[in-house]
């Protein structure tokens, strides 16, 4: 047993290292310039492959992963916010961002209104403020109508800020046909 004790201590130190590094980051290291409070970024103004402000970007995000717990924001939806923040920080006007987030699979419950989410999970829906911020920035947050049915969610339980789509499959293929790039999250 003594042989493993130093390894356990080393493992604990390695696991604590990211938290220590985060504590050492200066104020303003992480920002949320457009989607306030969500999708934090550390902007690198001289990095390669920066988006161009004179281009229009069409992206359909396939949001399928469920949240770690009902009380936490869906990480995939937060990545949509991060993408908006990165493009905006690079100087791309929001009018040049044609973004659609289609929610399906395990992520489907994030579209529920607060009353129904609270009834199902016992907490307020933490995704609704993020959905509102995304909508404010021009992102269409949609849900697969087939996934809603599969999750036994009634259609009138969908938050008003969410677009009801026929399906995730047809949304992705229709938008790809219109020149959108697919990002699966």
């Amino acid at each position: 047993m003594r042989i493993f004790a130093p390894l356990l201590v080393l493992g604990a130190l390695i696991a604590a290292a990211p938290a220590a590094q985060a504590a050492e980051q200066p104020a303003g290291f992480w920002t949320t310039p457009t989607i306030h409070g969500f999708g934090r970024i550390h902007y690198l103004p001289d990095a390669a492959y920066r988006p161009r402000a004179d281009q229009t970007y069409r992206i359909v995000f396939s949001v399928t992963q469920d949240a770690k717990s009902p009380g936490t924001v869906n990480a995939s939806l937060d990545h949509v916010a991060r993408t908006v923040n990165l493009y905006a920080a690079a100087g791309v006007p929001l009018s040049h961002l044609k973004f659609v987030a289609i929610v399906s699979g395990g992520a489907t419950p994030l579209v529920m209104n607060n009353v129904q989410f609270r009834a199902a999970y016992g907490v307020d829906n933490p995704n609704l403020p993020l959905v509102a911020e995304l909508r404010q920035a021009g992102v269409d947050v949609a849900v697969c109508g087939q996934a809603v049915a599969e999750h036994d969610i009634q259609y009138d339980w969908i938050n008003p800020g969410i677009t009801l789509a026929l399906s995730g499959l047809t949304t992705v293929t229709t938008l790809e046909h219109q020149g959108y790039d697919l990002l699966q999250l």
Side-chain angles (χ1 to χ4, degrees):
M1 192 65 142
R2 287 191 171 139
I3 295 172
F4 296 108
L7 293 177
L8 292 174
V9 171
L10 179 60
L13 290 174
I14 290 170
Q21 286 176 342
E24 295 173 17
Q25 294 168 343
F29 184 86
W30 293 106
T31 63
T32 57
T34 302
I35 308 298
H36 304 291
F38 302 99
R40 69 183 195 153
I41 65 168
H42 173 64
Y43 190 66
L44 302 166
D46 298 322
Y49 305 111
R50 290 175 5 116
R52 291 182 34 190
D54 64 343
Q55 299 289 311
T56 297
Y57 296 89
R58 291 173 182 82
I59 302 173
V60 56
F61 300 87
S62 181
V63 177
T64 61
Q65 300 299 312
D66 56 349
K68 290 182 181 180
S69 72
T72 61
V73 170
N74 182 287
S76 296
L77 194 63
D78 192 63
H79 273 78
V80 175
R82 175 176 278 182
T83 306
V84 173
N85 285 332
L86 286 166
Y87 277 87
V92 178
L94 292 179
S95 62
H96 290 204
L97 301 181
K98 308 301 180 193
F99 289 178
V100 176
I102 180 69
V103 177
S104 63
T108 304
L110 77 80
V111 305
M112 293 169 63
N113 65 41
N114 203 52
V115 170
Q116 297 304 326
F117 195 91
R118 179 172 270 295
Y121 299 104
V123 295
D124 287 340
N125 186 339
N127 299 287
L128 297 182
L130 173 51
V131 168
E133 285 279 333
L134 289 168
R135 299 292 289 196
Q136 181 75 23
V139 177
D140 184 17
V141 180
V143 64
C144 169
Q146 308 310 301
V148 170
E150 288 174 350
H151 283 84
D152 296 319
I153 297 171
Q154 294 181 23
Y155 292 105
D156 62 349
W157 295 358
I158 298 171
N159 194 62
I162 306 292
T163 301
L164 177 61
L166 173 61
S167 73
L169 299 169
T170 58
T171 300
V172 168
T173 56
T174 298
L175 292 174
E176 283 183 317
H177 189 70
Q178 296 174 11
Y180 281 69
D181 295 312
L182 171 63
L183 284 179
Q184 294 182 306
L185 302 174

